Amino acid sequence: MSPIKAQQYTDQRTRCDTITIGGPASWQPVSYIASDGRQTGLGIEILREYAERHGINVRVDIELPWARTLDLLLQGKIDVTAGAYFNDERQRVFQYSDVFYADDIMVFQHVDRRFEYASIKDLKGYQGARPHGGSLGNKIDTYSEQQLDIIYSPTNDRIFDLLRAGHVDYVLIARYDGLATLRKLGIEDKIIAVEPPLDHNPVRMMFSRNSPCVEHVAQINLLIAELAQNGTIKERTQYHLEQTVFNRETGS
């Protein structure tokens, strides 16, 4: 699906007759572009389910750069991101939904250049890389900015190229986001996620406070609770991971 044209974001609305969803294009299982070109993921599915129940149209564009998505979200020209981590700065300007998923942030290392790691303090003295423009949660954002030697990469493919070539010593990225990229690049035997997780981040939808759709957050929270209780979220999470990270037949 091609990106939404800029003019589609210019109209000011007073009613939430369409929910426009943005988000990362490669964040398994939350929001990603499937092999057939579909823009899908757990967060998108939950919002589609809500919209269908309430007669609201849906428009999805997760192909925009993340910084552009946040700018449009701030203006209310995008209504919601399919997922986001919590941090204090975002909380001041956006409205979060309840948690619908949780992500492990991992330290990825090259198998031939392993170093001892048990906590974030062990990363001092090494050069790392992380995705550009996104948050990894309050704790990691603050510590990495103040204490770590970090460079920022615009794409997941590029970030692992840096590690593979030895330009950095480690990569910080969400577990399944990283594993899906390694599988796509065919380098799962070269780069590994080192336990334990650096942090465990709850994932929420993030709504624009300048969108009329922000009024639906409380009802969307009720839907999240319903889908969690009846097992739908667990089932759909597994489905999306099978599409992008694991082999469906073997689970490996």
Side-chain angles (χ1 to χ4, degrees):
M1 186 178 297
S2 61
I4 303 170
K5 303 300 182 183
Q7 61 265 27
Q8 291 180 281
Y9 291 118
T10 59
D11 296 335
Q12 296 297 318
R13 297 167 298 138
T14 58
R15 295 176 58 250
C16 183
D17 49 8
T18 298
I19 295 179
T20 300
I21 305 168
S26 177
W27 185 8
Q28 292 77 4
V30 177
S31 65
Y32 64 94
I33 299 175
S35 58
D36 61 3
R38 289 180 302 112
Q39 300 181 100
T40 186
L42 180 61
I44 293 171
E45 282 195 345
I46 293 172
L47 289 164
R48 284 191 183 279
E49 172 72 16
Y50 179 83
E52 183 177 344
R53 293 188 185 190
H54 293 268
I56 301 172
N57 297 317
V58 173
R59 179 185 296 147
V60 182
D61 189 357
I62 60 172
E63 298 183 89
L64 291 171
W66 180 242
R68 174 64 172 154
T69 295
L70 292 182
D71 182 55
L72 292 169
L73 188 71
L74 184 63
Q75 297 175 54
K77 295 174 182 177
I78 285 177
D79 301 300
V80 58
T81 63
Y85 299 141
F86 180 93
N87 69 34
D88 294 332
E89 182 179 355
R90 290 175 177 176
Q91 170 69 358
R92 286 192 288 270
V93 293
F94 301 121
Q95 175 69 49
Y96 283 102
S97 74
D98 286 345
V99 175
F100 66 91
Y101 177 66
D103 229 354
D104 289 336
I105 305 301
M106 304 300 296
V107 176
F108 284 80
Q109 297 182 21
H110 195 286
V111 294
D112 296 331
R113 297 187 295 275
R114 291 285 306 276
F115 60 88
E116 293 297 321
Y117 158 78
S119 74
I120 194 169
K121 294 180 180 179
D122 297 324
L123 301 179
K124 293 181 71 172
Y126 296 96
Q127 183 166 52
R130 56 177 285 181
H132 175 72
S135 169
L136 296 178
N138 274 330
K139 185 174 96 173
I140 297 175
D141 289 348
T142 300
Y143 190 88
S144 63
E145 181 178 347
Q146 297 175 354
Q147 302 290 336
L148 300 181
D149 182 8
I150 291 281
I151 62 175
Y152 294 81
S153 174
T155 68
N156 287 3
D157 290 12
R158 174 60 179 156
I159 206 171
F160 283 114
D161 284 343
L162 293 172
L163 181 56
R164 182 167 46 172
H167 298 309
V168 299
D169 302 303
Y170 66 90
V171 164
L172 301 182
I173 198 169
R175 181 192 296 272
Y176 295 123
D177 197 1
L179 292 178
T181 302
L182 296 180
R183 182 179 183 181
K184 181 180 75 169
L185 296 175
I187 54 174
E188 298 160 283
D189 60 333
K190 299 295 185 184
I191 297 173
I192 59 172
V194 181
E195 303 290 347
L198 196 59
D199 206 354
H200 191 64
N201 280 342
V203 178
R204 309 165 185 263
M205 297 163 193
M206 193 163 66
F207 284 80
S208 172
R209 295 185 186 272
N210 292 314
S211 161
C213 298
V214 73
E215 298 178 358
H216 291 261
V217 173
Q219 289 178 281
I220 289 172
N221 288 341
L222 292 176
L223 176 61
I224 291 171
E226 174 192 327
L227 297 179
Q229 186 173 19
N230 67 22
T232 299
I233 285 181
K234 181 178 180 180
E235 174 189 326
R236 299 310 296 172
T237 298
Q238 185 61 32
Y239 168 80
H240 288 296
L241 290 177
E242 287 173 348
Q243 304 308 303
T244 57
V245 179
F246 303 116
N247 183 296
R248 296 193 70 178
E249 295 180 358
T250 66
S252 62

